[in-house]
């Protein structure tokens, strides 16, 4: 909890104090995992309890990641020194992103096509300029609606050029990781990091990504051609799409299918949708009792709400929802555990930090999907009974050790986000139109469900390019000079077919590379493949029986079992990739 100000405070000094507190806790654990005598004792310990044996093995792996298996004391000291520098650089990178409040200045003429309510709410800049925040709730609709391609380019380039200091920091972070991996006897950081994951080697991850790229390429090319055809109507003779075109022309394709995100927003007021959604998942699906928002909660900001989650009349935890964007706050979406269930009688506690909603407190449909995603993490975090802390729900963002494998971590969230497209669920959480009182039309619900993977070939291409980029930068051999940002353009063009805007460096604001997803960004896709396979067990409904089984097989164990074993326990067989490709309309035999 002392670390939380680093993520949520509007005051820079409070953010710095929270970051310093987090750093001190990380260093304390680092010192513990640097004690050779302690390592030797734990490694030599014996137990007949499978849970304690698993906890012991995870602790041993932590010691060995710090070089404690190295016979040379000098090498151990070098690893410890480099780890301290790595931690400081990654923390500085994260705080630079948190504190960034960059804007791009555009005129009303340049913003033609953008919803008037958004434009009218923008603060004034110099002259006739308006200041467009580069955070997603503002930047995304500008990229989706601005008719002027030059304006879209300006917004895209600004968004991909933030935090220039972090370009240097990323280079140093990647170089340090490679150097540490070399000292530990690994060919690369990726090789060492992936040990113990469901996909346990760079070869396995790269083969997985290559399979997906190959099977999705026909859909990617089809999507590219459809958007290019739309562009040629506005720019005759255009021979290629630019990165700032996809949101704009993709929005046109969705609207042609009856999906207008701006028109949907009045059906999703956050004040009503949030409690309806958390109760639908918590109660109808997983069998908890959810109470809230609690009137007597005292939290860090007036925007926050607190919910209580119970099972069989016993409180298992609380979740604080902090969903609105504000300067200085963590700029993405995530769940952060505040107190794990380490001691009987002390329930879990976590927080959802989000950047959602417009000035009127209304959610975009994609933000509702994100809400369901984050709530999957919430119930994963709160479901687990007290157990050794190393086996509790956590992830590398927090300063204490623990957590499931990185490529299992996203399975519950990837599962729950799919329910936003289930007609029965969408009908439950959508509200009557704020102005007309009309229910969300059944044809719109049908269109959303039928087109849940519209443009998935092209949409997934950038994501897969980022997965490949992550693997490429973390497969580098130790070297003094690293140009991590320079690796991106070629990978992006090869995988997605786009020429990146010169001089940009989107990875400078890529949270995942400094909060624990290094050599792990593929895990979203790996988890999605698992989750789509699991989702078939629910039949597009909030199936209570399937939900209880998922809770018992996956949520409650936390890290007490391996991801593959948990999935097999739920499915009754090992997971298969076929369901994912079937969902996207890719023939299984291809």
């Amino acid at each position: 909890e002392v670390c939380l100000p680093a993520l949520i405070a509007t005051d820079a000094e409070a953010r710095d104090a929270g970051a310093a507190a987090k750093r001190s806790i990380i260093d304390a654990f680092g010192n513990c995992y640097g004690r050779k005598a302690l390592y030797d004792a734990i490694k030599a310990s014996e137990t007949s309890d499978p849970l304690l044996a698993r906890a012991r093995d995870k602790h041993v792996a932590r010691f060995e990641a710090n070089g404690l298996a190295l016979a040379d004391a000098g090498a151990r000291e070098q690893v410890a020194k480099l780890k301290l520098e790595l931690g400081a650089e990654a923390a500085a990178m994260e705080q630079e992103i948190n504190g960034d409040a960059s804007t791009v200045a555009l005129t009303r003429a340049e913003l033609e096509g953008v919803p008037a309510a958004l434009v009218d709410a923008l603060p004034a800049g110099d002259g006739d300029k308006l200041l467009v925040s580069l955070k997603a709730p503002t930047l995304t609709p500008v990229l989706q609606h601005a008719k002027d391609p030059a304006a879209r380019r300006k917004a895209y380039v600004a968004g991909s050029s933030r935090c220039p200091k972090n370009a240097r920091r990323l280079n140093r972070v990647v170089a340090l990781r490679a150097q540490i991996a070399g000292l530990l006897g690994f060919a690369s950081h990726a090789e060492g990091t992936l040990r113990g994951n469901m996909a346990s080697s760079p070869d396995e991850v790269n083969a997985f990504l290559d399979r997906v790229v190959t099977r999705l390429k026909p859909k990617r090319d089809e999507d590219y051609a459809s958007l290019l055809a739309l562009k040629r109507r506005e720019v005759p003779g255009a021979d290629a799409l630019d990165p700032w075109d996809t949101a704009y022309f993709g929005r046109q394709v969705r609207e042609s299918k009856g999906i207008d995100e701006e028109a949907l927003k009045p059906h999703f007021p956050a004040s009503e949708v949030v409690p309806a959604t958390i109760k639908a998942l918590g109660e109808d699906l997983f069998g908890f009792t959810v109470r809230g928002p609690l009137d007597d909660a005292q939290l860090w900001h007036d925007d926050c709400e607190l919910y209580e989650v119970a099972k069989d009349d016993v409180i298992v935890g609380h979740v604080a929802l902090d969903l609105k964007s504000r300067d200085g706050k963590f700029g993405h979406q995530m769940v952060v555990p505040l107190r794990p269930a380490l001691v009987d009688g002390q329930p879990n506690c976590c927080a959802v930090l989000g950047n959602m909603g417009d000035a009127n407190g209304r959610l975009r449909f994609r933000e509702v999907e994100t809400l369901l995603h984050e709530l999957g993490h919430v119930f994963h975090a709160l479901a687990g009974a007290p157990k050794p802390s190393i086996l509790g729900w956590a992830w590398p963002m927090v300063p204490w050790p623990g957590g499931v494998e990185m490529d299992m971590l996203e399975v519950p969230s990837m599962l729950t986000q799919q329910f936003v497209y289930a007609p029965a669920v969408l009908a439950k959480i959508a509200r009557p139109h704020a102005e007309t009182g009309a229910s969300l039309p059944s044809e719109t619900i049908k269109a959303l469900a039928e087109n849940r993977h519209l443009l998935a070939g092209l949409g997934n291409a950038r994501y897969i390019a980022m997965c490949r980029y992550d693997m490429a930068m973390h497969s580098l051999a130790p070297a003094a000079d690293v140009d991590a940002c320079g690796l991106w353009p070629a990978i992006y063009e090869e995988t997605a077919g786009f020429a990146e805007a010169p001089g940009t460096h989107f990875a400078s604001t890529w949270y995942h590379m400094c909060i624990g997803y290094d050599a792990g960004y593929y895990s979203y896709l790996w988890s999605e493949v698992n989750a789509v396979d699991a989702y078939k067990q629910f039949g597009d409904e909030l199936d209570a029986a399937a939900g209880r089984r998922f809770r018992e097989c996956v949520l409650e164990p936390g890290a007490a079992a391996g991801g593959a074993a948990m999935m097999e326990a739920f499915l009754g067989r090992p997971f298969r990739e076929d369901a994912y490709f079937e969902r996207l309309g890719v023939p299984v035999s291809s």
Side-chain angles (χ1 to χ4, degrees):
E1 294 170 348
V2 297
C3 309
L4 190 62
L7 300 169
I8 51 85
T10 55
D11 178 73
E13 290 187 6
R15 289 198 302 274
D16 290 344
K22 179 178 178 179
R23 185 73 252 151
S24 67
I25 296 172
I26 292 172
D27 290 345
F29 276 109
N31 289 334
C32 287
Y33 284 113
R35 294 170 60 187
K36 185 72 163 57
L38 187 58
Y39 164 65
D40 291 339
I42 291 176
K43 187 173 183 180
S45 66
E46 297 182 2
T47 177
S48 59
D49 184 330
L51 200 64
L52 294 180
R54 182 171 174 81
R56 177 200 60 207
D57 293 346
K58 282 187 170 284
H59 281 301
V60 167
R62 290 269 178 170
F63 279 104
E64 293 182 350
N66 279 347
L68 272 292
L70 298 174
D72 184 348
R76 294 198 301 269
E77 291 175 4
Q78 180 70 356
V79 169
K81 179 182 176 182
L82 294 174
K83 285 251 181 179
L84 284 174
E85 184 184 351
L86 173 60
E89 289 283 8
M93 188 174 175
E94 179 190 339
Q95 286 306 102
E96 184 81 8
I97 302 170
N98 287 343
D100 181 69
S102 299
T103 60
V104 59
L106 298 172
T107 65
R108 283 186 176 271
E110 289 176 308
L111 290 167
E112 181 186 358
V114 178
L118 187 151
V119 175
D120 292 341
L122 295 175
D126 294 336
D128 62 348
K129 303 284 188 179
L130 297 173
L131 300 180
V132 176
S133 169
L134 297 178
K135 290 191 175 183
T138 304
L139 180 61
T140 297
V142 169
L143 291 173
Q144 287 178 329
H145 292 274
K147 294 181 178 180
D148 182 357
R152 294 198 306 274
R153 184 186 194 283
K154 190 183 297 185
Y156 175 89
V157 168
S160 301
S161 303
R162 293 181 293 145
C163 302
K165 292 180 182 177
N166 277 354
R168 179 202 62 78
R169 290 190 179 114
L170 180 63
N171 290 342
R172 185 58 183 154
V173 161
V174 170
L176 286 167
R177 287 171 178 157
Q179 191 174 352
I180 292 167
L183 289 169
L184 296 176
F186 297 111
S188 67
H189 176 69
E191 181 181 275
T193 298
L194 290 169
R195 288 195 315 161
N197 278 7
M198 295 174 75
S200 59
S201 71
D203 286 347
E204 188 172 0
V205 172
N206 288 324
F208 167 69
L209 295 174
D210 289 347
R211 279 198 306 276
V212 177
V213 167
T214 299
R215 295 185 70 171
L216 290 186
K217 188 177 185 301
K219 287 192 70 66
R220 186 204 78 177
D221 294 345
E222 178 184 325
D223 293 345
Y224 190 101
S226 66
L227 295 193
L228 182 57
L230 289 175
K231 181 174 181 177
R232 284 171 174 158
R233 294 181 186 177
E234 298 188 15
V235 186
D239 59 0
L241 291 172
D242 291 306
W244 48 90
D245 290 330
T246 55
Y248 178 72
F249 293 109
R251 188 252 317 160
Q252 293 182 18
V253 171
R254 285 190 293 274
E255 288 181 356
S256 72
K257 302 290 186 180
I259 303 170
D260 182 346
E261 287 213 29
E262 288 301 315
L264 290 175
K265 280 165 52 176
H267 290 286
F268 297 110
S271 61
E272 298 179 53
V273 170
V274 171
T277 303
I278 191 171
K279 289 177 181 178
L281 291 180
E283 297 185 345
D284 300 344
L285 186 63
F286 295 133
F288 294 107
T289 300
V290 179
R291 190 168 70 90
L294 303 180
D295 293 333
D296 56 349
Q298 296 182 7
L299 298 170
W300 52 87
H301 197 279
D302 289 344
D303 289 341
C304 302
E305 295 179 334
L306 188 70
Y307 288 79
E308 176 185 277
V309 179
K311 185 180 76 170
D312 302 328
D313 298 323
V314 176
I315 296 173
V316 298
H318 295 86
V319 55
L321 302 182
D322 183 357
L323 301 181
K324 295 182 181 178
S325 181
R326 57 182 180 272
D327 288 346
K329 179 185 168 185
F330 179 82
H332 197 51
Q333 338 286 337
M334 74 167 179
V335 173
V336 56
L338 302 179
R339 184 182 63 221
L342 304 181
V343 182
D344 288 328
Q346 294 293 318
N348 299 349
C349 185
C350 66
V352 182
L353 306 183
N355 290 268
M356 307 179 190
D358 63 12
N360 296 313
R362 301 177 305 183
L363 300 174
R364 304 172 66 80
F365 179 73
R366 292 290 181 180
E367 291 173 331
V368 180
E369 181 178 11
T370 297
L371 174 64
L372 271 85
H373 176 100
E374 300 304 335
L375 290 175
H377 286 311
V378 166
F379 291 112
H380 201 183
L382 300 187
K387 57 176 68 72
S389 63
I390 195 79
L391 302 180
W393 191 92
W395 60 296
M397 179 70 179
V398 301
W400 66 83
V404 298
E405 299 103 314
M406 285 300 295
D407 48 11
M408 183 65 192
L409 180 69
E410 300 290 340
V411 171
S413 55
M414 288 292 186
L415 172 76
T416 52
Q417 77 177 47
Q418 295 179 70
F419 284 103
V420 78
Y421 294 98
V425 179
L426 193 53
K428 179 186 285 283
I429 64 176
R431 305 289 97 178
H433 192 284
E435 282 85 36
T436 67
S439 297
L440 187 63
S442 59
E443 58 269 24
T444 300
I445 293 176
K446 182 179 179 181
L448 288 166
E450 289 179 347
N451 294 285
R452 68 174 71 186
H453 291 296
L454 189 66
L455 300 176
L458 198 57
N460 280 327
R462 180 179 172 90
Y463 166 71
I464 298 170
M466 292 169 71
C467 295
R468 283 177 153 178
Y469 176 35
D470 171 32
M471 291 301 297
M473 74 171 83
H474 290 115
S475 295
L476 295 172
D481 297 320
V482 171
D483 181 12
C485 291
L487 293 173
W488 167 248
I491 294 172
Y492 185 34
E493 186 160 9
E494 177 191 350
T495 307
F498 289 90
E500 185 58 281
T504 57
H505 41 82
F506 93 91
S508 293
T509 52
W510 193 5
Y511 268 116
H512 295 79
M513 293 303 99
C514 57
I515 62 173
Y517 278 82
D518 41 289
Y521 197 61
Y522 79 93
S523 60
Y524 284 99
L525 183 59
W526 183 277
S527 293
E528 185 177 5
V529 169
N530 276 264
V532 171
D533 196 12
Y535 185 77
K536 293 185 72 173
Q537 305 284 317
F538 293 85
D540 237 17
E541 300 281 348
L542 292 172
D543 184 312
R548 303 304 187 279
R549 285 196 300 109
F550 191 80
R551 187 186 80 193
E552 293 166 0
C553 294
V554 177
L555 301 184
E556 291 178 350
M566 287 190 283
M567 289 304 299
E568 187 164 353
F570 175 69
L571 294 168
R573 55 166 173 77
F575 85 91
R576 295 195 286 254
E577 295 177 3
D578 289 350
Y580 173 76
F581 293 112
E582 288 171 0
R583 169 71 64 78
L584 297 182
V586 177
V588 173
S589 59
S590 65

